[in-house]
Each structure stands twice: as C-alpha cells, then as structure tokens.
Amino acid sequence: MNAVTPDRAAEGGTTGRTATPRHYLMCAPTHFTVSYAINPWMEPSKPVDTALAVVQWERLRALYERLGHRVDLIEPVAGLPDMVYAANGATVVDGKVLGARFRNAERAAEGPAYLDWFRAAGYTAVHDPEQVNEGEGDFLLTDSFILAGQGFRTSPEAHAEAQKFFGRPVIGLELVDPAYYHLDTALSVLAGDEVMYYPEAFSADSRAVLERLFPYALLATAEDASVLGLNAVSDGRHVVLPQAATQLAEQLSARGFEPLGVDLSELLKGGGSVKCCTLTLRE
C-alpha cells in the first residue's frame, strides 16, 4: 500500500483531486418508518416524516447526478422500511455480486429482493451468501483491501466467504460500540487507500491494524462521529457527508477534498445516512 501523507494529499487544494464517475444503486424511502428497533438510533416512539425523508433522499440522488454519477433505482417493497439503506443490499466488486444475508428477521427479505434486482439487471456472477453479511454496511473497498466489519451484524465467517468469492484480501475489523454497528458508520474510504475513521468505535487490536495500514488516515472527532459523519460517499474528489459533521468537512478540505454536506435527518432516525443510502456498483 502506498500511504498518502497529509501534506501530499492537500497539495494543490481541490485541484489535486480527481473525481471518478461512479455507478450507484438507490432505493426511495417510499415506505420508510421506524416501527421496530434493531440499533440504538431507532426509537419507534419518535415520529417519522416519510414525505420529508423522500424529499431529503431525492436531493441526495440529484446531487449524485449533478456530479456526473449514474444512479439506478430498485423498487421499494411495502413492509421493508429499511430497504432505503441500499448499501446493505449487496457488495459488488469487479462485476461480481455477493448478496446480503441479514442478522435481524425484520430485514431478512431485503437480501432476496436485492438479488432479484441484480439478476434482472443482467448480472451473472451472483452469489447467494451462506454466512451472515450486511453488504457494504460491513464491506468497504480500498485499492489494496476489502475492509470487513464484525461484532454486531456481519459474521467473521462471512469475511472468508467474501475473500474466496472476490479473490481479494479481506481485513477483519472489530466494532465495539453499538452506536457504530456497521463498518460504514465508523469508517469511510476516500480515495485509493485513503480512509477516515473514528478510533473509539474499534477494539484495541483493530485500532492497531488501522494505524499500521493507514498511518495518515483522517480521524473523526466524537462529535462528528455521533452525527454519522463517517457515513459518507467519496468519488475521489467530492465527499458527500452529513452536513452536521462540520469539523470533518474542515479536515477534508485541508486534505484537498471537496466536502458536500447534505441533510438526511429523517433517515438518521433509522440509523443511516449518506453511505447507507448508496450501494456502489463496481463493474
């Protein structure tokens, strides 16, 4: 891995960064509500404005399209309110699709729904998972590795399944704070092998691994992590993240990135934000 130092990363400001067109899959929050609690963010007693959630989600989709990215849509299914969190639906690397198998019964039907979409879209290398994994919620791709979360949702056995299917090295990382129950709530890939993460979300052993692999990583404050500021999407130059993560935005700017804050406050009530709504399709 070629480490990128902060000085090298910031050199030239945003002109030193290059955006790469991406292909995303998203699902409208047509049926979004919080009727059960499977993570600490979810409070069924707290009102949810579904119409506002749709408006906020539409703004995110429109932003991606303005940035030159392609966005495909999967039809939302009634009775699956968390289907809006498309990142959990699968992991796609080199055109190969590893389906999701959810730990919680409330989300179990999402896995087959997403795999049906991929098959209908013409994907042929599609793997029905044997082990519990929650898609890109716990599998994040850098140039050198697949970083894989465990501790709350995805099982360690799923890491071996992913490594065999994708043929890429998988690095297991243990999450220890239930507020950061998926890897994509505690870590984000920015470009190549550059990442940003919240150290306190990880076990001591996993922090040591992250420090060794990514010595120049951008570290988030507790304040920014607590608004899911790390649940972000980067195209190599633009970093779309929750607008409340102001310190993180300043750090990204200093590294030469262009942070773009968005408001997904309604979807935060389900424990998700920008990345959760965005599944990357890597052909």
Side-chain angles (χ1 to χ4, degrees), residues 249-271:
E250 291 176 0
Q251 293 184 74
L252 287 164
S253 293
R255 295 284 183 99
F257 293 98
E258 187 176 338
L260 300 170
V262 296
D263 178 13
L264 291 181
S265 54
E266 285 305 301
L267 293 169
L268 183 62
K269 295 175 181 178

Side-chain angles (χ1 to χ4, degrees), residues 46 85 92 145 178 182 224-225 263 278:
K46 184 180 294 186
Y85 302 124
V92 185
F145 314 108
H182 278 148
D224 282 350
D263 178 13
T278 312

Side-chain angles (χ1 to χ4, degrees), residues 154-175:
T154 296
S155 71
E157 292 78 11
H159 298 180
E161 186 176 17
Q163 181 166 281
K164 181 178 179 180
F165 179 62
F166 291 124
R168 293 190 179 218
V170 173
I171 306 296
L173 299 169
E174 184 181 11
L175 298 161

Side-chain angles (χ1 to χ4, degrees), residues 8 32 56 138 146 276:
R8 285 174 56 205
F32 177 68
Q56 293 176 343
D138 276 322
I146 295 175
C276 285

Side-chain angles (χ1 to χ4, degrees), residues 77 115 213 274 281:
V77 176
L115 281 185
L213 293 179
V274 178
L281 307 182

Side-chain angles (χ1 to χ4, degrees), residues 11 19 30-31 58 64 68 74 81-82 98 102 109 131 148 169 215 275 282:
E11 187 175 328
T30 308
H31 307 294
E58 287 283 6
Y64 287 147
I74 182 173
D82 285 345
L98 173 62
F102 288 84
Q131 307 297 333
K275 176 55 189 165
R282 305 177 185 88

